Amino acid sequence: MADADDRLISAAIIHYIKGYVDSITEESPVYNAIKSKGTIKYGRKGRKVEWRARNAKGTTIKKYTRDTELSFLPEDLTVQPVLSWAGQTGSRTIAWHDVELCGGEQEIWDLMESETDWLVSDNVESFEDDVYLASGNASNTSDVEGFAGFIVETGTYAGISLSGTAGTWNGNSIAGTDFSANPKNFLMQGMLEASRGALNKSGKVTDIFCTRTQFQQIFDDVSDRSRVAMGAKGVDFGMDTFTFSGADITWDDSCPASTIYGVNATKLKLMTPHKSSLWDQNTDRKLSPNVFIITTHGIFQLITESPRYHFTLTSIT
């Protein structure tokens, strides 16, 4: 029975994770925004995350007539940012007697699916928290380099100084003092800065992430106070997201208090060496102690084409 149960349990776990990991992961608003823009990049190899980015505006364009002799010198408008991969792993241990007490194959499936569901959900929650934080750019960091690491005006991002490169490589940071009195104006200011400072015409903010309190303040300011969204099943009083000046505004419990982030998700990439998911899974039976272990591990990193495409409102009051 043990060998048969081992195979059954492994099949149940692999089937469940492959079939439902995306639906669980999509509980993350940031992941959803990136996925909707098609900028999750699977199968990326290399011991480091390296990419070419443009940190200077414009190429030399020369006007000429037929008789003009032209000469062009090499122009280096790019930099090569480098980040370490972020690693994340989790596991759940199931006592073997719990498996043996199951009343048949369906109960075994139900047990393993619930355990796996909790494990993947915990992974997603950890990932969602990390995308708002800064890892510190340490070469051996195991954390995602999140919004707080690159939507800033000073310091270093991916090995490149943010100071002294205004308009090209630094982010847009705006003090949010008295935000509650006029949320709409603050958002417009942030979106304008991000668009005006971008390196080409596609620099429009696509997504804004905030807390529930800020979401309510913004909605009250930009709407006529009608909170009705028509759905297929009738009327839904209240909203999880709405659009302002072309950007989707979404509340997220992982978003830090007193902070709002506006991003151009088309200029973000979520990189992973895995072929089809952020997380791989494994199962392991141990006899001493007699347990079954479910393990997931993820390797990924969040990068941006340029910090300049995004903005943050800080110290919001």
Side-chain angles (χ1 to χ4, degrees):
M1 175 182 171
D3 290 341
D5 284 347
D6 285 354
R7 291 192 296 270
L8 175 63
I9 293 168
S10 296
I13 293 169
I14 292 172
H15 170 82
Y16 185 74
I17 291 182
K18 289 188 179 298
Y20 295 98
V21 69
D22 276 349
S23 63
I24 298 172
T25 308
E26 285 171 4
E27 295 174 5
S28 161
V30 175
Y31 175 89
N32 246 347
I34 297 173
K35 182 179 180 181
S36 70
K37 305 304 186 294
T39 53
I40 299 178
K41 303 300 179 182
Y42 299 104
R44 179 66 179 266
K45 301 300 182 181
R47 296 190 63 83
K48 299 281 187 178
V49 184
E50 301 181 64
W51 70 104
R52 289 177 64 81
R54 193 173 177 185
N55 77 327
K57 261 189 170 179
T59 303
T60 300
I61 305 296
K62 298 185 177 182
K63 309 254 183 177
Y64 69 96
T65 64
R66 185 178 61 182
D67 299 324
T68 303
E69 182 177 339
L70 297 178
S71 62
F72 290 89
L73 296 176
E75 293 180 286
D76 186 5
L77 303 179
T78 63
V79 291
Q80 188 158 347
V82 180
L83 288 173
S84 297
W85 287 107
Q88 182 176 301
T89 187
S91 65
R92 293 189 70 87
T93 301
I94 304 168
W96 189 248
H97 73 265
D98 287 339
V99 178
E100 291 181 321
L101 292 174
C102 288
E105 291 186 4
Q106 186 59 50
E107 284 195 21
I108 293 177
W109 274 74
D110 292 343
L111 173 64
M112 294 304 159
E113 287 185 359
S114 63
E115 292 287 341
T116 305
D117 194 346
W118 296 331
L119 176 57
V120 175
S121 295
D122 289 345
N123 272 282
V124 172
E125 183 176 343
S126 177
F127 165 80
E128 181 69 6
D129 290 341
D130 286 351
V131 296
Y132 288 101
L133 305 177
S135 74
N137 286 285
S139 60
N140 63 345
T141 182
S142 60
D143 297 323
V144 172
E145 186 62 76
F147 296 160
F150 61 83
I151 312 180
V152 290
E153 295 186 346
T154 59
T156 301
Y157 168 60
I160 300 170
S161 174
L162 295 164
S163 304
T165 53
T168 55
W169 190 244
N170 64 316
N172 302 281
S173 181
I174 300 168
T177 306
D178 294 329
F179 170 84
S180 59
N182 204 336
K184 180 172 63 176
N185 281 4
F186 277 93
L187 293 185
M188 288 302 301
Q189 181 183 353
M191 297 175 76
L192 178 62
E193 290 294 325
S195 177
R196 185 169 56 191
L199 300 179
N200 56 44
K201 294 182 179 179
S202 60
K204 186 174 178 60
V205 169
T206 61
D207 295 89
I208 295 172
F209 303 102
C210 60
T211 66
R212 299 187 195 210
T213 298
Q214 295 155 358
F215 181 89
Q216 188 69 57
Q217 291 171 339
I218 296 168
F219 186 79
D220 287 345
D221 192 36
V222 303
S223 72
D224 61 357
R225 297 184 180 273
S226 174
R227 307 185 184 195
V228 180
M230 293 300 298
K233 296 182 180 180
V235 178
D236 179 14
F237 290 87
M239 294 183 178
D240 292 327
T241 184
F242 65 93
T243 301
F244 171 69
S245 192
D248 290 335
I249 301 179
T250 307
W251 63 262
D252 188 349
D253 285 334
S254 293
C255 189
S258 304
T259 306
I260 289 177
Y261 287 105
V263 303
N264 181 342
T266 67
K267 304 301 181 183
L268 298 174
K269 288 185 176 67
L270 186 55
M271 318 291 285
T272 178
H274 300 319
K275 292 182 179 179
S276 60
S277 175
L278 295 187
W279 288 277
D280 277 349
Q281 68 285 327
N282 189 34
T283 61
D284 189 17
R285 170 78 186 281
K286 292 188 179 298
L287 298 178
S288 181
N290 199 358
V291 296
F292 203 92
I293 302 174
I294 309 171
T295 304
T296 60
H297 84 278
I299 303 175
F300 37 75
Q301 188 55 272
L302 180 66
I303 68 172
T304 182
E305 194 172 306
S306 169
R308 195 64 184 169
Y309 288 111
H310 322 287
F311 77 87
T312 179
L313 301 178
T314 62
S315 303
I316 291 174
T317 60

